[in-house]
Amino acid sequence: MTNEIITTDLPQPALQELRWARDVLQHRGIADRLTELVGTPITASIRLLPDVTEDLLYRAIDRSLKAALDVAVRTLGQSDGDGSSPSLRTHKLLAGISGAAGGVLGGATVAAELPVSTVLILRSVADIARSEGEDLSDLETRLACLEVFALDPGKGSDIDDQTEIGYFAVRAAMAKQIKDATQYITKNGLGGSVAPPLVKLISQIGKRFGLVVSEKIAAQAVPVIGAIGGALINSYFIDHYQDLARAHFAIRRLERQHGADLIRRAYESLPSENK
């Protein structure tokens, strides 16, 4: 009865959109999508890579997120928010081209290719945010675009909450980092991204983004993957984050329309498809 009361407080279109968003945010992890693509489980493949490759990977992740932070702060707010449909295909095409180079040259190109892909994804995420009515002239909103990199529903991390790693738990864990980073940048500027609030923000995002990137690199390491496979994997990679962004900013729009508390209670009260 309680669940029925909560969900019927929302108009049916809003409830349907919330159900779709929850399905994306809870059930569509990148690992399963890449496993279907390459035809073999890739979760263990990263363990076969040399330690030096793993070290290179995480340094590339850190560099990529710093580049994305720089773009978020300096350029994302320059376009007017007209609510028009996002141009997702262009970003996906460019990501595919970038992935093709990585597929040809192998994992050694990750340090050069990953920052490019990450910034392309961020720009696509911002485009989606703008189409959902977000004000990208607001710095905190621009940093919320970075938050999407932490939303993959796959295996969790020690992102602060050891018992729950769902969508709202991630948002709650990220909220203080985004607020602190916003206040620091507003007062001091971006600087070299080495101030504690900025380091903490990048670190928190990197814990979960790194899991997804590891799966991507492991898939590219499968012997049958070449230039075409690299391009396709990168297309899957950006498509995955576009889906997460659509769901994330749809929920934020619903929160503005119906109240954050109601949307969260309705989200959590929706019956699982597995029940």
Side-chain angles (χ1 to χ4, degrees):
M1 179 63 69
T2 301
N3 288 355
E4 292 178 1
I5 292 173
I6 292 173
T7 55
T8 54
D9 283 341
L10 284 176
Q12 193 61 29
L15 187 59
Q16 291 176 347
E17 188 171 19
L18 185 63
R19 183 178 289 110
W20 166 81
R22 195 190 72 156
D23 179 62
V24 171
L25 292 163
Q26 289 191 346
H27 302 298
R28 299 182 186 177
I30 192 68
D32 290 339
R33 299 180 69 171
L34 291 177
T35 296
E36 292 174 3
L37 173 64
V38 303
T40 183
I42 53 95
T43 53
S45 300
I46 191 68
R47 300 172 192 160
L48 304 179
L49 299 178
D51 291 341
V52 65
T53 302
E54 188 170 354
D55 179 65
L56 175 66
L57 171 61
Y58 284 99
R59 282 190 280 119
I61 289 168
D62 183 70
R63 188 178 303 113
S64 299
L65 290 175
K66 287 179 179 177
L69 175 63
D70 185 80
V71 169
V73 172
R74 300 183 191 278
T75 69
L76 287 190
Q78 294 179 357
S79 300
D80 293 330
D82 56 7
S84 59
S85 298
S87 303
L88 304 184
R89 290 183 180 179
T90 300
H91 296 113
K92 193 176 298 185
L93 175 62
L94 292 172
I97 294 172
S98 175
V104 170
L105 300 175
T109 62
V110 63
E113 185 270 327
L114 184 61
V116 175
S117 297
T118 304
V119 169
L120 285 172
I121 292 171
L122 177 65
R123 291 194 178 281
S124 186
V125 166
D127 206 10
I128 291 168
R130 186 182 296 111
S131 74
E132 291 288 353
E134 298 280 349
D135 179 11
L136 292 180
S137 67
D138 180 70
L139 176 58
E140 192 164 345
T141 299
R142 299 202 297 276
L143 294 185
C145 293
L146 282 172
E147 185 177 28
V148 172
F149 289 108
L151 295 181
D152 181 80
K155 294 179 181 179
S157 71
D158 57 350
I159 193 170
D160 285 347
D161 190 324
Q162 298 292 333
T163 60
E164 182 185 5
I165 54 171
Y167 169 68
F168 283 101
V170 173
R171 279 183 62 179
M174 293 297 306
K176 184 179 187 305
Q177 309 303 334
I178 290 177
K179 182 178 179 180
D180 289 347
T182 300
Q183 291 176 344
Y184 177 86
I185 294 170
T186 300
K187 182 177 180 180
N188 303 290
L190 187 59
S193 302
V194 294
L198 307 185
V199 172
K200 288 181 180 179
L201 176 65
I202 290 172
S203 175
Q204 289 285 56
I205 296 172
K207 288 176 184 178
R208 293 178 67 89
F209 183 51
L211 297 174
V212 177
V213 174
S214 295
E215 302 286 4
K216 172 182 178 290
I217 300 302
Q220 289 177 313
V222 174
V224 297
I225 297 298
I228 295 177
L232 190 55
I233 286 172
N234 247 30
S235 295
Y236 269 55
F237 190 52
I238 191 170
D239 185 64
H240 177 63
Y241 282 106
Q242 286 174 345
D243 285 349
L244 292 177
R246 280 191 288 255
H248 176 53
F249 289 109
I251 288 177
R252 283 170 60 103
R253 171 173 46 76
L254 291 172
E255 289 174 342
R256 293 193 297 272
Q257 294 171 344
H258 303 284
D261 184 61
L262 175 60
I263 293 301
R264 175 165 185 169
R265 288 187 292 117
Y267 181 102
E268 293 174 344
S269 70
L270 287 169
S272 171
E273 291 184 353
N274 295 326
K275 291 182 179 181

